[in-house]
Amino acid sequence: MTSALQAAHLRLPPGPVDLTAIDSGATPGVECGKKDGKAALVALGDELSDLQERLFAEGVADIGHGRAVLLVLQGMDTSGKGGTLRHTVGLVDPQGLRISSFKKPTKEELEHDFLWRIRKALPGKGMIGVFDRSHYEDVLVVRVHELAPKREIERRYDAINAFEAELAGAGITLVKCMLHISADTQKERLLARLDDPTKHWKFNPGDVDERAHWPQYREAYEIALERTNTEIAPWYVIPSDHKWYRNLAIGELLHETLTNMNPQWPAADFDVEEQKRRLAEEIPVK
Ligand code: AMP
Ligand code: MG
């Protein structure tokens, strides 16, 4: 079973963004509930895996003009970036993935332009790159906590658009996902982490402090989403209060993206019959 969910259901329309008007508990494009939604993701896995392998094969054969995909996962703590990696991204061959998590920048990273560390993490040809947080932190947490001068933050929106246009020009298809959860959902998930000793490693007391800045984060997201929602690198807002929906929606987005790219199995650059003959005629290997 597959769902009727399409990228169009999730695409953020151009113009001003009001996240309070987007229901984080909705399931756009999907009629079913959790059980069938989970089954739909499993059903999608084989096709996703096949498309990814074709893309990878194109990269190895050096055809397809060095194409790649870059999935950007942005969201507040507990929005499910890790869960998406495990349940959706995990459906494809790990050899074809390049996963990068962006944390608080190191001293060396801070000495460079904010895109320096991002450039070093880009997917090579045939790969699916995944960013768990991204260059958007440099206009989100940095804006909320005034970690850079106002003028520098202002400059970054255009710098991001120029950078992403450059990536698109180089054959990298961007899929930018904002994992949208409510403050209540975050509270529930943080409490669940505290109730489960096997989840304590994921808990950071600082996350509770960050919750106090929820309205400032929402505003920073709204500004960033509006200013970087370009034709070439559009934003998708994924209602993420339901984990199963989030996983399925991002799976469908990846599937649609890869289907549109239509990667092809490379033709052999050798004579297949000749190679069969050589194997048939060889002296037995002891
Ligand atoms: P986590 O994703 O939960 O492991 O946390 C990573 C932390 O690094 C988050 O609190 C991010 O806001 C923070 N972080 C990521 N990128 C930056 C950045 N460019 N500047 C400051 N903090 C960042
Ligand atoms: Mg965290």
mmCIF file of all heavy atoms in Angstrom, residues 77 81 101-105 110 114 117 132-135 137-138 141-142 147 156 202 204 207 210 217, ligand 1:
data_model
loop_
_atom_site.group_PDB
_atom_site.id
_atom_site.type_symbol
_atom_site.label_atom_id
_atom_site.label_comp_id
_atom_site.label_asym_id
_atom_site.label_seq_id
_atom_site.Cartn_x
_atom_site.Cartn_y
_atom_site.Cartn_z
ATOM 1 N N ASP A 77 14.373 20.769 19.122
ATOM 2 C CA ASP A 77 14.713 19.528 19.818
ATOM 3 C C ASP A 77 13.473 18.658 19.931
ATOM 4 O O ASP A 77 12.380 19.172 20.179
ATOM 5 C CB ASP A 77 15.217 19.843 21.236
ATOM 6 C CG ASP A 77 16.711 20.041 21.262
ATOM 7 O OD1 ASP A 77 17.425 19.128 20.805
ATOM 8 O OD2 ASP A 77 17.155 21.110 21.704
ATOM 9 N N LYS A 81 14.417 14.606 14.125
ATOM 10 C CA LYS A 81 15.466 14.512 13.100
ATOM 11 C C LYS A 81 16.122 13.128 13.168
ATOM 12 O O LYS A 81 16.336 12.480 12.145
ATOM 13 C CB LYS A 81 16.487 15.643 13.302
ATOM 14 C CG LYS A 81 15.813 17.029 13.206
ATOM 15 C CD LYS A 81 16.775 18.179 13.447
ATOM 16 C CE LYS A 81 17.288 18.281 14.870
ATOM 17 N NZ LYS A 81 16.248 18.612 15.880
ATOM 18 N N SER A 101 25.770 15.796 11.024
ATOM 19 C CA SER A 101 25.055 16.508 12.093
ATOM 20 C C SER A 101 25.822 17.778 12.399
ATOM 21 O O SER A 101 27.046 17.735 12.556
ATOM 22 C CB SER A 101 25.012 15.669 13.360
ATOM 23 O OG SER A 101 24.298 14.490 13.129
ATOM 24 N N PHE A 102 25.108 18.873 12.494
ATOM 25 C CA PHE A 102 25.774 20.140 12.802
ATOM 26 C C PHE A 102 25.452 20.574 14.219
ATOM 27 O O PHE A 102 24.300 20.780 14.578
ATOM 28 C CB PHE A 102 25.383 21.212 11.784
ATOM 29 C CG PHE A 102 25.874 20.878 10.409
ATOM 30 C CD1 PHE A 102 25.031 20.278 9.484
ATOM 31 C CD2 PHE A 102 27.193 21.117 10.058
ATOM 32 C CE1 PHE A 102 25.499 19.937 8.220
ATOM 33 C CE2 PHE A 102 27.671 20.775 8.807
ATOM 34 C CZ PHE A 102 26.815 20.179 7.880
ATOM 35 N N LYS A 103 26.516 20.671 15.009
ATOM 36 C CA LYS A 103 26.400 21.069 16.422
ATOM 37 C C LYS A 103 26.919 22.494 16.557
ATOM 38 O O LYS A 103 27.247 23.142 15.570
ATOM 39 C CB LYS A 103 27.236 20.117 17.285
ATOM 40 C CG LYS A 103 27.020 18.639 16.984
ATOM 41 C CD LYS A 103 25.803 18.118 17.675
ATOM 42 C CE LYS A 103 25.590 16.636 17.379
ATOM 43 N NZ LYS A 103 24.276 16.168 17.744
ATOM 44 N N LYS A 104 27.052 22.913 17.804
ATOM 45 C CA LYS A 104 27.658 24.208 18.087
ATOM 46 C C LYS A 104 29.023 24.255 17.382
ATOM 47 O O LYS A 104 29.812 23.320 17.524
ATOM 48 C CB LYS A 104 27.837 24.294 19.611
ATOM 49 C CG LYS A 104 27.933 25.656 20.191
ATOM 50 C CD LYS A 104 27.741 25.536 21.719
ATOM 51 C CE LYS A 104 28.194 26.784 22.430
ATOM 52 N NZ LYS A 104 29.639 26.937 22.567
ATOM 53 N N PRO A 105 29.305 25.287 16.614
ATOM 54 C CA PRO A 105 30.559 25.294 15.850
ATOM 55 C C PRO A 105 31.794 25.255 16.744
ATOM 56 O O PRO A 105 31.784 25.800 17.859
ATOM 57 C CB PRO A 105 30.510 26.629 15.098
ATOM 58 C CG PRO A 105 29.113 27.117 15.196
ATOM 59 C CD PRO A 105 28.509 26.500 16.402
ATOM 60 N N LEU A 110 34.333 28.580 13.680
ATOM 61 C CA LEU A 110 33.922 29.971 13.903
ATOM 62 C C LEU A 110 34.874 30.980 13.254
ATOM 63 O O LEU A 110 34.505 32.122 13.008
ATOM 64 C CB LEU A 110 33.811 30.266 15.401
ATOM 65 C CG LEU A 110 32.548 29.744 16.077
ATOM 66 C CD1 LEU A 110 32.620 29.966 17.582
ATOM 67 C CD2 LEU A 110 31.290 30.399 15.497
ATOM 68 N N PHE A 114 30.244 31.045 7.771
ATOM 69 C CA PHE A 114 29.338 30.005 8.285
ATOM 70 C C PHE A 114 29.118 28.859 7.305
ATOM 71 O O PHE A 114 28.765 27.749 7.715
ATOM 72 C CB PHE A 114 27.998 30.623 8.727
ATOM 73 C CG PHE A 114 27.054 31.001 7.609
ATOM 74 C CD1 PHE A 114 25.908 30.249 7.370
ATOM 75 C CD2 PHE A 114 27.291 32.113 6.795
ATOM 76 C CE1 PHE A 114 25.015 30.591 6.363
ATOM 77 C CE2 PHE A 114 26.408 32.459 5.774
ATOM 78 C CZ PHE A 114 25.272 31.697 5.558
ATOM 79 N N ARG A 117 31.932 24.992 6.923
ATOM 80 C CA ARG A 117 31.766 23.602 7.386
ATOM 81 C C ARG A 117 30.672 22.884 6.603
ATOM 82 O O ARG A 117 30.674 21.664 6.484
ATOM 83 C CB ARG A 117 31.491 23.557 8.890
ATOM 84 C CG ARG A 117 30.177 24.178 9.327
ATOM 85 C CD ARG A 117 29.956 23.930 10.815
ATOM 86 N NE ARG A 117 28.694 24.467 11.306
ATOM 87 C CZ ARG A 117 28.174 24.131 12.480
ATOM 88 N NH1 ARG A 117 28.790 23.271 13.268
ATOM 89 N NH2 ARG A 117 27.032 24.649 12.880
ATOM 90 N N ASP A 132 21.450 16.822 9.462
ATOM 91 C CA ASP A 132 20.717 16.834 10.727
ATOM 92 C C ASP A 132 21.087 18.173 11.380
ATOM 93 O O ASP A 132 22.174 18.301 11.940
ATOM 94 C CB ASP A 132 21.198 15.622 11.546
ATOM 95 C CG ASP A 132 20.725 15.638 12.984
ATOM 96 O OD1 ASP A 132 20.047 16.603 13.401
ATOM 97 O OD2 ASP A 132 21.069 14.692 13.721
ATOM 98 N N ARG A 133 20.225 19.155 11.248
ATOM 99 C CA ARG A 133 20.525 20.582 11.411
ATOM 100 C C ARG A 133 21.428 20.979 10.245
ATOM 101 O O ARG A 133 21.916 20.116 9.511
ATOM 102 C CB ARG A 133 21.151 20.933 12.756
ATOM 103 C CG ARG A 133 20.269 20.519 13.943
ATOM 104 C CD ARG A 133 20.813 21.059 15.252
ATOM 105 N NE ARG A 133 20.117 20.532 16.401
ATOM 106 C CZ ARG A 133 19.077 21.132 16.978
ATOM 107 N NH1 ARG A 133 18.618 22.265 16.507
ATOM 108 N NH2 ARG A 133 18.496 20.592 18.034
ATOM 109 N N SER A 134 21.664 22.273 10.093
ATOM 110 C CA SER A 134 22.267 22.704 8.826
ATOM 111 C C SER A 134 22.754 24.143 8.933
ATOM 112 O O SER A 134 22.821 24.704 10.034
ATOM 113 C CB SER A 134 21.196 22.638 7.733
ATOM 114 O OG SER A 134 20.186 23.620 8.025
ATOM 115 N N HIS A 135 23.009 24.744 7.777
ATOM 116 C CA HIS A 135 23.374 26.170 7.709
ATOM 117 C C HIS A 135 22.249 27.062 8.231
ATOM 118 O O HIS A 135 22.491 28.227 8.522
ATOM 119 C CB HIS A 135 23.754 26.559 6.289
ATOM 120 C CG HIS A 135 22.888 26.000 5.201
ATOM 121 N ND1 HIS A 135 22.677 24.652 5.028
ATOM 122 C CD2 HIS A 135 22.156 26.613 4.237
ATOM 123 C CE1 HIS A 135 21.875 24.453 4.001
ATOM 124 N NE2 HIS A 135 21.538 25.628 3.501
ATOM 125 N N GLU A 137 20.867 26.806 11.091
ATOM 126 C CA GLU A 137 21.140 27.152 12.496
ATOM 127 C C GLU A 137 21.770 28.538 12.592
ATOM 128 O O GLU A 137 21.600 29.241 13.590
ATOM 129 C CB GLU A 137 22.064 26.115 13.143
ATOM 130 C CG GLU A 137 21.430 24.751 13.370
ATOM 131 C CD GLU A 137 20.330 24.766 14.426
ATOM 132 O OE1 GLU A 137 20.422 25.519 15.406
ATOM 133 O OE2 GLU A 137 19.342 24.016 14.251
ATOM 134 N N ASP A 138 22.487 28.924 11.544
ATOM 135 C CA ASP A 138 23.209 30.204 11.565
ATOM 136 C C ASP A 138 22.290 31.415 11.403
ATOM 137 O O ASP A 138 22.757 32.559 11.489
ATOM 138 C CB ASP A 138 24.312 30.189 10.504
ATOM 139 C CG ASP A 138 25.357 29.137 10.848
ATOM 140 O OD1 ASP A 138 26.211 29.418 11.691
ATOM 141 O OD2 ASP A 138 25.262 28.011 10.326
ATOM 142 N N VAL A 141 19.263 29.589 15.793
ATOM 143 C CA VAL A 141 19.813 29.724 17.148
ATOM 144 C C VAL A 141 20.687 30.982 17.248
ATOM 145 O O VAL A 141 20.674 31.690 18.259
ATOM 146 C CB VAL A 141 20.593 28.441 17.567
ATOM 147 C CG1 VAL A 141 21.787 28.184 16.693
ATOM 148 C CG2 VAL A 141 21.022 28.522 19.027
ATOM 149 N N VAL A 142 21.385 31.277 16.162
ATOM 150 C CA VAL A 142 22.280 32.447 16.169
ATOM 151 C C VAL A 142 21.476 33.747 16.270
ATOM 152 O O VAL A 142 21.879 34.687 16.949
ATOM 153 C CB VAL A 142 23.185 32.437 14.907
ATOM 154 C CG1 VAL A 142 23.961 33.738 14.777
ATOM 155 C CG2 VAL A 142 24.155 31.247 14.969
ATOM 156 N N LEU A 147 24.155 35.526 18.515
ATOM 157 C CA LEU A 147 25.526 34.996 18.512
ATOM 158 C C LEU A 147 26.386 35.617 17.420
ATOM 159 O O LEU A 147 27.574 35.315 17.310
ATOM 160 C CB LEU A 147 25.498 33.464 18.348
ATOM 161 C CG LEU A 147 24.701 32.689 19.404
ATOM 162 C CD1 LEU A 147 24.681 31.192 19.095
ATOM 163 C CD2 LEU A 147 25.285 32.923 20.798
ATOM 164 N N ARG A 156 23.161 36.758 5.786
ATOM 165 C CA ARG A 156 23.173 35.313 5.587
ATOM 166 C C ARG A 156 21.991 34.780 4.762
ATOM 167 O O ARG A 156 22.121 33.771 4.080
ATOM 168 C CB ARG A 156 23.233 34.595 6.953
ATOM 169 C CG ARG A 156 24.596 34.764 7.601
ATOM 170 C CD ARG A 156 24.686 34.073 8.937
ATOM 171 N NE ARG A 156 26.037 34.267 9.494
ATOM 172 C CZ ARG A 156 26.422 33.856 10.684
ATOM 173 N NH1 ARG A 156 25.559 33.220 11.468
ATOM 174 N NH2 ARG A 156 27.655 34.070 11.100
ATOM 175 N N LYS A 202 19.762 11.144 25.695
ATOM 176 C CA LYS A 202 19.295 12.098 24.691
ATOM 177 C C LYS A 202 18.887 13.422 25.319
ATOM 178 O O LYS A 202 18.633 14.384 24.615
ATOM 179 C CB LYS A 202 18.034 11.559 23.986
ATOM 180 C CG LYS A 202 18.244 10.470 22.989
ATOM 181 C CD LYS A 202 16.949 10.348 22.182
ATOM 182 C CE LYS A 202 16.846 9.046 21.461
ATOM 183 N NZ LYS A 202 15.599 8.979 20.684
ATOM 184 N N ASN A 204 19.073 16.834 27.410
ATOM 185 C CA ASN A 204 20.052 17.854 27.744
ATOM 186 C C ASN A 204 19.293 18.923 28.529
ATOM 187 O O ASN A 204 18.341 19.506 28.008
ATOM 188 C CB ASN A 204 20.603 18.384 26.407
ATOM 189 C CG ASN A 204 21.467 19.609 26.582
ATOM 190 O OD1 ASN A 204 21.739 20.057 27.705
ATOM 191 N ND2 ASN A 204 21.896 20.166 25.461
ATOM 192 N N ASP A 207 17.928 21.917 26.947
ATOM 193 C CA ASP A 207 16.738 21.890 26.086
ATOM 194 C C ASP A 207 15.549 22.557 26.781
ATOM 195 O O ASP A 207 14.686 23.150 26.135
ATOM 196 C CB ASP A 207 16.358 20.447 25.705
ATOM 197 C CG ASP A 207 17.451 19.762 24.879
ATOM 198 O OD1 ASP A 207 18.351 20.473 24.388
ATOM 199 O OD2 ASP A 207 17.389 18.532 24.746
ATOM 200 N N GLU A 210 15.930 26.210 26.420
ATOM 201 C CA GLU A 210 15.601 26.649 25.067
ATOM 202 C C GLU A 210 14.094 26.785 24.853
ATOM 203 O O GLU A 210 13.633 27.641 24.110
ATOM 204 C CB GLU A 210 16.179 25.673 24.016
ATOM 205 C CG GLU A 210 17.676 25.770 23.836
ATOM 206 C CD GLU A 210 18.153 27.199 23.612
ATOM 207 O OE1 GLU A 210 18.047 27.707 22.495
ATOM 208 O OE2 GLU A 210 18.608 27.815 24.593
ATOM 209 N N TYR A 217 12.100 31.440 18.679
ATOM 210 C CA TYR A 217 12.473 30.439 17.662
ATOM 211 C C TYR A 217 11.438 30.408 16.544
ATOM 212 O O TYR A 217 11.770 30.334 15.372
ATOM 213 C CB TYR A 217 12.618 29.042 18.280
ATOM 214 C CG TYR A 217 14.023 28.760 18.776
ATOM 215 C CD1 TYR A 217 14.306 28.747 20.131
ATOM 216 C CD2 TYR A 217 15.066 28.534 17.882
ATOM 217 C CE1 TYR A 217 15.595 28.507 20.593
ATOM 218 C CE2 TYR A 217 16.360 28.286 18.331
ATOM 219 C CZ TYR A 217 16.620 28.271 19.687
ATOM 220 O OH TYR A 217 17.892 28.039 20.132
HETATM 221 P P1 AMP B 1 21.487 18.332 18.959
HETATM 222 O O1 AMP B 1 21.053 18.447 17.532
HETATM 223 O O2 AMP B 1 20.346 18.127 19.907
HETATM 224 O O3 AMP B 1 22.595 17.374 19.164
HETATM 225 O O4 AMP B 1 22.069 19.759 19.404
HETATM 226 C C1 AMP B 1 22.976 20.464 18.655
HETATM 227 C C2 AMP B 1 23.024 21.855 19.193
HETATM 228 O O5 AMP B 1 23.976 22.605 18.434
HETATM 229 C C3 AMP B 1 21.704 22.582 19.113
HETATM 230 O O6 AMP B 1 21.411 23.218 20.315
HETATM 231 C C4 AMP B 1 21.956 23.604 18.011
HETATM 232 O O7 AMP B 1 21.184 24.770 18.148
HETATM 233 C C5 AMP B 1 23.432 23.865 18.165
HETATM 234 N N1 AMP B 1 24.002 24.430 16.943
HETATM 235 C C6 AMP B 1 24.016 23.881 15.706
HETATM 236 N N2 AMP B 1 24.550 24.734 14.813
HETATM 237 C C7 AMP B 1 24.874 25.857 15.492
HETATM 238 C C8 AMP B 1 25.429 27.099 15.112
HETATM 239 N N3 AMP B 1 25.785 27.362 13.840
HETATM 240 N N4 AMP B 1 25.615 28.022 16.078
HETATM 241 C C9 AMP B 1 25.265 27.760 17.368
HETATM 242 N N5 AMP B 1 24.728 26.611 17.778
HETATM 243 C C10 AMP B 1 24.519 25.659 16.856
#
